[in-house]
Amino acid sequence: MKSKGLLILISIRTVIGWIGVIAAFLNLGKPPFWVACFVGFYFLSSSFFAKYKIRNKLVSELGNLSVISFLILDFLIILSGFYLTILSHPKELVATPIQNAIFFSIFFLYQLYIGFFLHRKFSAMMGLIVTLGYIGGIILATQNGAEFFTGYRLVPQTPNRIVLPLEILKVILLLSITICIIRLVTFLLDILENNNKSLVEELNKRETLLLKNDRLVTLGTLASNVAHEINNPLAGIKSMSDFLFEEELSFLTRKEPLWREKEKQLFWKYRTRTEKREDYDLIMNLFSFLPKADLIFLADRCIDIGVDYRSFEGLKKEDIKEWDFVYLWLKFKTMEKANLLVSNAISRTEKVISTFRQFSLPFLEQDKTKVSVGEGIRDILFLYHQYWETSRRLVTEIDDQIKVFVSEPAMKLVWSHLLFNAIQTTSSQSGEVKVRVSLIADSEVEVAITDNGPGIPDSLQDQIFQPFFTTKDQGEGIGLGLYVSKEIIKNQNGRIQFESLSGKTTFSVILPVAE
């Protein structure tokens, strides 16, 4: 039992001790005096000693068995004092229970005492034992000479007379107290059990959240480290690609200084898949006089780069110098295209890594800068590009000229939450997400993200910004996205609002325009 529960029990024991002290004063000079002194001294001294131990943290809790042992010992002390009070009177002045009404009060308090132990079976058992103990005192008094009055007319109780109706009422009162205490204990235990269930559920949620937060922190650190490790080889790849391209350009320029002028005389052609196959066969037939390896190279490069074969129709097999230029130029254009693809791929990779690094510690990087709202949103849209490759439709109306003074990493987290919520709400086959960035006043910009999902029920709209509230299935969200977004936007001197109907839900973020 915890220290707070022990202090409550000790407080009730202290009251029983003071009642013993009062009984000693009332019985001054009478036989029960020493019995009352013993009972009062026992309860007061043991209570003060136990309270001292608990307050000085010498005892923090006791097991149920230890507490039950003390409760039984206390009852035996009370019962012994009760019986000794009856037996200590002379035969001609036998002490009846009514004369020792103080002990009846002690029995009453004792039942409260065991009730606060909050043990249903023990309270019921001890309540019956207390009642039987009191009845035993009546029997003991009658056996020692007390008169047992059973008449209908109430008469005063004297040292040698017991009025049965009054004692029956007392016994009924003791039993009623026992029943009430059992009911109270049951009620309190039910409340504690429900509270414990709620606490366990809340603790489980908190533990899950902490684990997820820990994983997010770990992921952020890992992303930062991985980004550093990836950026180095990416820089090397880009540098080498640029070097090879410059080498090809330099070689072509040395071989043919006028290559740019000759390039202007070539024809370009966009081909469909069918046209590519047809033109490939046509090139192989038209220039069949070329060596097979050179012919295959010519056909592949023309189709891949998009050069029209008519650019080379006037050339014959004997024009070796011209054909050398054609092969060299096709090789250069291939390298140029490859360099462009490598550069674009590296740029996309660097953008993804940069965004992830910004997500790793969005709240610790609170430095505000003047940034383009549209660029930040496009970065997040790029991360979710796989969702737009399906039948889901993306519509954007973004004014890239609008700039705001915010923490870009934090706001990217907001765009990520709002866009992903819109994506999850819509159907992969017929869903539509619309992003609009526009000025609503000279000093404010509105970012509106609209989806055609089922909408938010009216009964839940007041709760969606509360922490840990989510309408998603278990495992798909923990209910912190909108709460965190609202806190971030508030920190950026902005505000967020929404309007939801069936088939159309719009979340609007209003931010001050950068001066």
Side-chain angles (χ1 to χ4, degrees):
M1 193 172 187
K2 301 292 184 182
S3 56
K4 289 185 178 180
L6 290 173
L7 286 173
I8 294 175
L9 295 181
I10 290 170
S11 298
I12 300 176
R13 290 182 87 258
T14 304
V15 174
I16 293 175
W18 283 117
I19 291 176
V21 172
I22 293 171
F25 278 107
L26 293 176
N27 287 279
L28 191 61
K30 299 176 183 178
F33 173 74
W34 295 108
V35 176
C37 286
F38 171 74
V39 173
F41 175 77
Y42 166 76
F43 277 96
L44 285 177
S45 60
S46 58
S47 297
F48 289 144
F49 178 74
K51 192 175 293 186
Y52 169 79
K53 286 275 191 180
I54 293 173
R55 287 182 175 175
N56 288 275
K57 298 182 179 179
L58 301 175
V59 176
S60 58
E61 59 180 275
L62 288 176
N64 284 352
L65 187 60
S66 300
V67 177
I68 288 174
S69 300
F70 281 114
L71 293 175
I72 292 174
L73 177 62
D74 290 345
F75 174 70
L76 294 176
I77 295 295
I78 294 172
L79 190 65
S80 300
F82 182 41
Y83 288 171
L84 285 173
T85 300
I86 296 173
L87 296 174
S88 63
H89 278 75
K91 286 284 185 180
E92 64 276 7
L93 294 173
V94 176
T96 60
I98 187 60
Q99 284 180 299
N100 293 281
I102 289 175
F103 275 98
F104 177 80
S105 301
I106 291 176
F107 282 137
F108 178 85
L109 284 172
Y110 181 78
Q111 288 186 311
L112 290 177
Y113 177 35
I114 60 176
F116 276 100
F117 180 50
L118 297 181
H119 194 292
R120 200 179 289 113
K121 291 182 179 179
F122 181 74
S123 298
M125 180 185 68
M126 289 305 298
L128 292 175
I129 292 175
V130 167
T131 305
L132 293 175
Y134 184 77
I135 294 173
I138 298 174
I139 295 172
L140 183 63
T142 57
Q143 288 178 349
N144 283 314
E147 180 185 357
F148 202 57
F149 184 77
T150 59
Y152 292 102
R153 182 172 56 88
L154 294 179
V155 297
Q157 294 204 46
T158 64
N160 289 320
R161 179 179 294 165
I162 298 173
V163 179
L164 181 60
L166 291 178
E167 300 307 328
I168 290 176
L169 289 175
K170 289 182 181 180
V171 171
I172 292 173
L173 180 59
L174 288 174
L175 289 173
S176 300
I177 293 170
T178 300
I179 294 172
C180 290
I181 288 176
I182 292 172
R183 292 282 188 181
L184 177 63
V185 169
T186 301
F187 175 71
L188 293 175
L189 287 175
D190 289 340
I191 291 177
L192 288 174
E193 186 177 354
N194 291 333
N195 287 340
N196 285 337
K197 287 182 179 178
S198 300
L199 287 173
V200 168
E201 291 176 0
E202 185 66 23
L203 285 173
N204 288 335
K205 287 182 180 179
R206 298 279 180 175
E207 184 180 2
T208 302
L209 177 61
L210 288 174
L211 289 174
K212 288 184 177 180
N213 284 343
D214 182 65
R215 287 199 295 269
L216 287 175
V217 172
T218 303
L219 181 60
T221 305
L222 182 62
S224 181
N225 293 335
V226 170
H228 177 73
E229 294 298 325
I230 292 177
N231 278 334
N232 287 336
L234 283 180
I237 293 171
K238 191 173 188 303
S239 176
M240 184 55 65
S241 177
D242 291 340
F243 171 76
L244 293 174
F245 174 71
E246 292 296 330
E247 285 293 307
E248 287 292 330
L249 176 61
S250 177
F251 183 76
L252 177 63
T253 303
R254 287 199 308 271
K255 289 289 185 178
E256 181 55 70
L258 300 177
W259 70 270
R260 293 187 186 276
E261 296 299 324
K262 289 185 175 182
E263 184 182 63
K264 293 178 182 178
Q265 299 173 12
L266 300 177
F267 300 104
W268 301 88
K269 180 179 181 180
Y270 171 78
R271 299 177 174 92
T272 63
R273 183 175 297 179
T274 303
E275 289 174 335
K276 286 181 179 180
R277 289 195 297 268
E278 292 175 352
D279 280 7
Y280 186 89
D281 294 336
L282 188 58
I283 292 171
M284 295 293 286
N285 291 327
L286 285 176
F287 304 100
S288 59
F289 54 83
L290 294 173
K292 186 175 182 180
D294 293 342
L295 180 58
I296 293 174
F297 176 77
L298 176 67
D300 286 341
R301 297 303 94 211
C302 286
I303 298 301
D304 185 50
I305 298 172
V307 179
D308 194 331
Y309 64 88
R310 291 177 299 167
S311 302
F312 316 120
E313 277 184 334
L315 297 178
K316 300 179 181 179
K317 183 178 181 180
E318 294 79 17
D319 300 327
I320 297 175
K321 187 177 179 181
E322 293 299 325
W323 280 116
D324 286 343
F325 167 74
V326 169
Y327 299 146
L328 188 60
W329 179 82
L330 288 174
K331 182 182 176 184
F332 168 74
K333 298 305 289 186
T334 302
M335 176 58 73
E336 184 181 48
K337 180 180 179 181
N339 181 69
L340 181 61
L341 291 175
V342 170
S343 298
N344 289 339
I346 291 174
S347 297
R348 291 178 65 182
T349 305
E350 287 176 341
K351 182 170 286 189
V352 171
I353 292 172
S354 174
T355 303
F356 271 115
R357 291 184 70 179
Q358 288 179 330
F359 278 175
S360 62
L361 293 172
F363 291 106
L364 299 182
E365 299 177 7
Q366 285 294 336
D367 293 338
K368 296 180 180 180
T369 56
K370 189 176 181 180
V371 296
S372 168
V373 182
E375 287 183 8
I377 294 175
R378 291 187 194 280
D379 287 346
I380 304 303
L381 290 173
F382 176 74
L383 291 180
Y384 293 140
H385 73 277
Q386 71 273 20
Y387 294 103
W388 321 125
E389 292 177 352
T390 61
S391 299
R392 190 181 280 107
R393 183 165 175 256
L394 172 66
V395 180
T396 58
E397 296 178 11
I398 300 176
D399 185 348
D400 291 311
Q401 303 302 316
I402 302 175
K403 296 186 180 294
V404 290
F405 191 70
V406 295
S407 171
E408 186 176 23
M411 288 310 301
K412 280 187 176 181
L413 187 61
V414 173
W415 309 139
S416 177
H417 282 314
L418 295 180
L419 283 168
F420 193 63
N421 282 349
I423 290 170
Q424 285 188 311
T425 303
T426 56
S427 167
S428 60
Q429 301 302 319
S430 59
E432 179 180 283
V433 177
K434 183 177 181 180
V435 181
R436 179 170 51 84
V437 178
S438 58
L439 289 172
I440 57 173
D442 293 338
S443 58
E444 287 185 326
V445 56
E446 179 186 37
V447 178
I449 298 175
T450 305
D451 64 74
N452 64 346
I456 305 169
D458 294 340
S459 59
L460 302 179
Q461 291 189 7
D462 293 336
Q463 308 175 56
I464 63 170
F465 289 111
Q466 294 178 4
F468 305 108
F469 177 80
T470 179
T471 58
K472 300 174 184 176
D473 295 335
Q474 188 173 4
E476 291 188 2
I478 58 175
L480 284 176
L482 288 175
Y483 170 74
V484 170
S485 298
K486 185 177 181 180
E487 292 300 311
I488 291 175
I489 294 167
K490 182 179 178 182
N491 184 259
Q492 309 301 315
N493 299 320
R495 62 187 187 277
I496 183 172
Q497 58 196 33
F498 73 96
E499 182 179 350
S500 183
L501 299 171
S502 179
K504 183 179 180 181
T505 298
T506 301
F507 277 85
S508 301
V509 177
I510 292 89
L511 296 169
V513 176
E515 297 180 358

